[in-house]
Amino acid sequence: DAEKKKMAEFKAMEVDRREAKIFEELFKPKLSRRGQRTQGRTMQSQHELWEYKREAKIHEQRLAAIAREMSAVQDAPDINARSAALAARRREKEGLAGYTHLEAMIERDRLAKLAQWEREQLR
């Protein structure tokens, strides 16, 4: 039973192949010169698709270039090791050894304002 079905399918496929071959041999369209020169809509849409893909690729390349440039940008400047050591030594002398650079600046400013207020009070 299964063999009969397979044989029937095989014969049907063989008939389809023969018909396709005959059709290919018989069907040869004759186009006029004007017809040969015309561009079909499918070619035009393929060109538009190609242009769209090209523009998308260029856009992606631009974004990649911007990303590469932005990866080289630093959030903060590089501090020279010698300068950092000098600043730490100064903070130690001023009694601000446990403070960060920004905290030390704020504390210095606060102390300067306090000293100025005290001078004004003594007048």
Side-chain angles (χ1 to χ4, degrees):
D1 188 42
E3 284 186 34
K4 289 181 183 178
K5 285 183 182 179
K6 286 184 181 179
M7 288 298 288
E9 287 177 14
F10 181 71
K11 286 181 182 178
M13 286 174 42
E14 189 62 32
V15 169
D16 288 341
R17 280 190 204 139
R18 286 182 188 160
E19 288 177 357
K21 186 176 181 183
I22 292 170
F23 180 75
E24 286 176 7
E25 290 175 358
L26 294 177
F27 183 71
K28 295 183 181 176
K30 293 188 178 181
L31 298 175
S32 65
R33 289 185 185 269
R34 181 175 177 225
Q36 290 173 355
R37 284 193 312 265
T38 59
Q39 271 193 337
R41 289 188 201 123
T42 56
M43 294 299 285
Q44 188 176 7
S45 63
Q46 286 178 353
H47 181 69
E48 290 171 357
L49 178 65
W50 178 81
E51 281 288 328
Y52 176 76
K53 286 182 179 179
R54 179 177 168 268
E55 292 296 325
K57 186 177 179 181
I58 290 171
H59 182 68
E60 288 176 11
Q61 289 174 345
R62 285 182 185 149
L63 290 178
I66 290 171
R68 279 193 307 272
E69 289 177 16
M70 293 303 291
S71 69
V73 175
Q74 297 177 352
D75 291 337
D78 285 337
I79 305 283
N80 187 348
R82 184 172 183 276
S83 297
L86 290 173
R89 215 175 335 153
R90 178 176 175 204
R91 283 195 297 269
E92 282 180 31
K93 285 181 183 177
E94 294 175 351
L96 306 171
Y99 291 90
T100 64
H101 176 70
L102 184 60
E103 291 170 342
M105 284 177 46
I106 293 170
E107 184 65 19
R108 278 190 210 103
D109 185 52
R110 188 185 69 77
L111 291 173
K113 287 180 181 177
L114 180 64
Q116 182 181 8
W117 180 79
E118 288 174 348
R119 281 193 303 268
E120 290 175 0
Q121 294 299 319
L122 292 176
R123 286 186 189 176

